[in-house]
Each structure stands twice: as structure tokens, then as C-alpha cells.
Amino acid sequence: MKKVYIALVVIAVAIGGWLVSQKGESTIGSSADSTSPDRNVQSGVPINKVSQIPNQRDPRLIPPGTGDASNDSAIFIDEEGIENIRPASTMYASADQALQAVLKGARDFDDSILEQFTEPGRDCSWCPEFYSLVQENLLNPSTPQDQKSYLAEVLAISGRTDNIQILVDSIKNAASPTDADIYAEALELSLGDDSITRVLGEQLVSTNDTLREASVAAITNQGTLLAAELLQKHIEQRNDPDAYYAVGIGPGEFIPEESALPFVQEQVAKRDQYSPMWAKALINTGIDGVRMLFDQLEISNSPASDTALLKDAIDHVNFEDGIKELTDQIIVSSRNSAAIDFAKQIQSELIAADLDDMDGMTVP
């Protein structure tokens, strides 16, 4: 009797396993072909587009050598042992596959997926179709606003002038101030070469304040010589000594690349109404920029302009290694009283920062 009971149990388990496997195959087969209507409405994606998108996590749909398009495979360790994100051009095999990943990222606001789509390059064969689909979903009235923000960022970081122009036009033609702000916040994150900067520069004459300020912010983030030249020309035309500093953009927040440093130094040496902003830009580069500013002060013959040059400059000093030694040297050797006072101010702030760090320490 015991043997019969055991045999019956074995048969029941076998039948149960067969039923589970059949259900699993049915689920996999249907996941790529059907989409909940409610989910379509929530994502703002046209139903005819979603139905054509393959299941991102189904390995059968991903050709060999293109990765499995999952977040796990998106991260790799380079030769120096540093984690990196794989570019989208190597992660996905088609525009639809890439769109599926982006739409999922939009629902979760997944920054790692955004990193995959940072300037994917011109060798991305499916990118033109992909960006057309992104634009279509971005401009779809039923797309939720948080997802619009994500999709707009995908365009902004693409490094493609046509995508930047789409954002520009979207700001101009936005259905509401909220939509305009969404597109503008994305435009501020624009990445790319000088061709992108030129498109942004064309918007500096716009009478649309949202578009103009977003373009100034985007140019501020570039750091190139062209960006510095565009900013200087713009603030001169506006006769605006504050140069957008009150809203946290413009020359005062500019971090110049090496190619832009000579131009920035020239603006500081002018000692005009815009020079204090460019002095902050020098400091933004770090200790080398601080040293350049001290060198400029050392050859000055205008104490009044020195004081003006250093207004609010302390807020931009990074207390990095070597700053204590540099300011010690200035205090001892400089002949410029404003430089000495600034060096002492830096040291006072450095001491205060160290005390704050000590207060935050816990005794084991």
C-alpha cells in the first residue's frame, strides 16, 4: 500500500510540473503581443506603437552580440575596475527595442537608462527612427507630464541638433506654461558639440523668456570657448551686469574648459561691469583658476576694481588640496591688499568648514 501511495505522489508531481511549464510558455508567448489598454493610457503611448514593441526582457527577441537589454547587463566593469553604463547603440538591436527601454525608464525615472542614451553617436543605425518615436510620444497629449520630462531629457542629451530644435519649437508652441517648463528644463541639459551651442545661441534673442533663460542655462553648461563668447556678447547686448547670476546661470556659474580660459582671463582683465562674473568663472575651475585670479590681482593698480572683482567670489571657492598652501603664500608675499584679504577670507571659511566636519563626526 505504501508503494502504491508513493507512486501516486510521483505521478501527481510530474503532471503538476507539466502544467506549470505549459502555463509559462503561454505567458512568454503572449507578453510581447498584448498590452493592457489601461497601461497604454498611463504611459501616453499610442496603442499602435506599443503593440509593435518587443518584450525588452525576452532573450529570444535580442540578436546575439547585442546584450539582453536588461538593467543588469547595462552595467560593466572597465579595465580600471570602474563601473560604466553600456551605450544604447550596443544595448539594443532596434528602435522599437530602445523605445521600450526608454518608456520603462520614463515610468520609473531610471537615470541609468538615460545614461545609456547620452550622445549615442552617429554610428547608431536605428537612432533616427528611435528619436522620431520619442518625439511622437513626447508630443502626445495623453503622455503624463513626468514621462514627458524624461522623454524630453532623452532628446536633450542626444547630441543631435534636430532634437534640440524640437525642444526649442516645443517651448515656443507649448500648450501650457507647465509643458513649456518641462521642455525648458530638459533643454538646459543639452549636450553636444559647437553645433548644439550655435542652435542654443540663436535663441538668446528670443522674446520668450522661458526659452531664452533655458538657452542661457544650456550654454552655461557647455564650458567651451564658443559658449563663453556667446554669453559675453549676450550680456553686453542686454547691458546686464548681473548677467543672470540671480537665477543661478550665466558667466558666474560658467566652468571654462581649457580652450576658454584665455578668453575668461581677458574678461577679468577688462575690469568692467561684467568682470566680477568672469572672476567667479575662473574660480569655478578649481585651485588653478584661483591662482590665475590672484595673479590678476597682483598686477592691478586699481584697489576699487579689485574689491568689486571679488564680490561674492568666496562662494565659488572649492576647499581642495593645496588651497591652504596657496593662500599662505599670498598672505606672506602679495603686495595687493585685496588679494591678502581674500586669501584670509578663504582660510577663515576653510577653518569653519573643518570645524563643521568635526562637529559631524561621531565618537565610536
Side-chain angles (χ1 to χ4, degrees), residues 171 174 176-188 210:
I171 295 171
S176 68
T178 301
D179 278 355
D181 288 341
I182 287 173
Y183 303 137
E185 288 171 7
L187 186 67
E188 293 179 8
T210 300

Side-chain angles (χ1 to χ4, degrees), residues 256-322:
E257 296 179 357
E258 187 174 352
S259 62
L261 278 173
F263 177 84
V264 174
Q265 288 177 283
E266 288 175 13
Q267 306 315 306
V268 174
K270 285 180 179 179
R271 300 305 181 93
D272 61 15
Q273 59 183 338
Y274 311 112
S275 294
M277 295 304 163
W278 291 111
K280 295 175 180 62
L282 270 186
I283 297 172
N284 291 340
T285 65
I287 191 168
D288 289 338
V290 175
R291 186 177 289 108
M292 292 176 191
L293 182 57
F294 277 128
D295 290 343
Q296 180 61 230
L297 291 168
E298 203 60 37
I299 60 175
S300 171
N301 294 315
S302 174
S305 69
D306 294 343
T307 301
L309 195 68
L310 296 173
K311 185 177 185 298
D312 297 325
I314 189 65
D315 296 337
H316 294 256
V317 176
N318 182 18
F319 303 120
E320 57 192 295
D321 290 343

